[in-house]
Amino acid sequence: MGLHALAVLGDRDAVPARDVFVDLLLGGRCAGCERPGVTLCAGCRRLLATATPFRAWPDPRPAGLAPPIAAGAYGDELRGVIIAHKEHARYGLARPLGQLLATAVRAALGDRRAGWLCRVPSPRATVRQRGHDPLRRLTAVAVRSLRRQGFDVRAADALRVIRRPEDQAGLSAAARAANLEGVFGLRSRWAETLIDQPVLLVDDVITTGSTLSEAGRALESGGIRVLGCAVLAATARRRASGS
């Protein structure tokens, strides 16, 4: 076994040892940079661990979108890691991605030490097709990570998909907003719990912001104010921080 693999096995934030050995035996590659060897190489792990969250307003900004914070830009290594976990069920990436999501949540909370994390749900058919619910898993990892750091955060499964939208690929910002109108509904049993509480929406990627905006409207229809949004990554369709 090479020094690179030994370094991964010795790191407390590394992927499970089982995944490392499987990758080495079967000729695996890093999900981020595609370096031969392990699920996530030391360099890509450092990239995720040292990410600096930023305000990621889309341009144009959809009406009603709560302030979004992204942990990184959606490109290169981070894009590869997100896709590998989401679309290819590489479960060993859940821990580093969940911890990355936790950094965005911390930034979105500001001075607060408590809050509810409400993930944007996927249609059941999409979950069945993938064979797993990636954002649910990452949100759970983020909650555990933040609670170990002394934050009183909890997951709120407050949203459901009422109807399945059409494929968003290639749609303009206006077309995405129209496509998503009325997609989400509030689970009524959560309304009383979340009213007057700090609530953050969480998602994996923000592009036009239409999904998060529509999810926020569904929560606010029940009197739940959304404090902000925390996402893993933001595409290039955004204004610079502070603009």
Side-chain angles (χ1 to χ4, degrees):
M1 184 181 298
L3 291 177
H4 176 68
L6 287 173
V8 172
L9 288 174
D11 190 292
R12 70 179 183 87
D13 288 329
V15 299
R18 177 192 59 194
D19 290 1
V20 174
F21 286 118
V22 169
D23 283 343
L24 289 172
L25 289 172
L26 300 182
R29 290 181 176 273
C30 171
C33 64
E34 298 190 348
R35 176 180 178 174
V38 294
T39 294
L40 194 64
C41 73
C44 287
R45 287 200 327 278
R46 282 194 297 270
L47 181 69
L48 299 188
T50 58
T52 301
F54 57 90
R55 185 63 55 82
W57 287 115
D59 188 8
R61 183 187 307 186
L65 177 64
I69 295 290
Y74 187 64
D76 301 327
E77 291 88 349
L78 180 53
R79 177 179 181 274
V81 175
I82 292 172
I83 291 176
H85 174 259
K86 183 176 182 178
E87 304 297 346
H88 304 298
R90 295 180 68 174
Y91 300 133
L93 299 170
R95 185 174 181 182
L97 283 175
Q99 291 172 339
L100 181 65
L101 181 60
T103 67
V105 170
R106 283 200 309 269
L109 284 174
D111 295 332
R112 296 173 177 81
R113 302 288 295 180
W116 292 88
L117 307 188
C118 181
R119 64 180 176 82
V120 174
S122 296
R124 290 182 180 179
T126 300
V127 174
R128 285 196 299 269
Q129 182 180 2
R130 289 178 177 146
H132 72 131
D133 191 334
L135 188 58
R136 181 187 291 275
R137 181 181 296 107
L138 297 187
T139 302
V141 174
V143 166
R144 290 195 296 270
S145 177
L146 289 164
R147 291 185 72 84
R148 285 195 297 268
Q149 298 171 50
F151 288 83
D152 182 14
V153 296
R154 304 179 187 186
D157 191 17
L159 291 174
R160 61 190 179 94
V161 177
I162 296 176
R163 65 171 182 84
R164 186 174 183 177
E166 299 298 323
D167 187 357
Q168 297 274 78
L171 296 183
S172 66
R176 282 182 176 233
N179 184 41
L180 290 166
E181 186 174 353
V183 163
F184 303 112
L186 173 66
R187 297 183 189 274
S188 58
R189 64 186 178 86
W190 280 96
E192 186 175 347
T193 300
L194 297 181
I195 287 176
D196 296 328
Q197 294 290 310
V199 176
L200 293 178
L201 280 167
V202 295
D203 205 353
D204 53 1
V205 179
I206 181 172
T207 302
T208 65
S210 299
T211 301
L212 287 163
S213 177
E214 186 60 32
R217 277 195 288 271
L219 289 175
E220 289 174 359
S221 70
I224 301 166
R225 188 178 72 85
V226 179
L227 172 67
C229 306
V231 301
L232 289 172
T235 67
R237 288 189 61 142
R238 60 179 178 82
R239 295 174 180 150
S241 178
S243 64

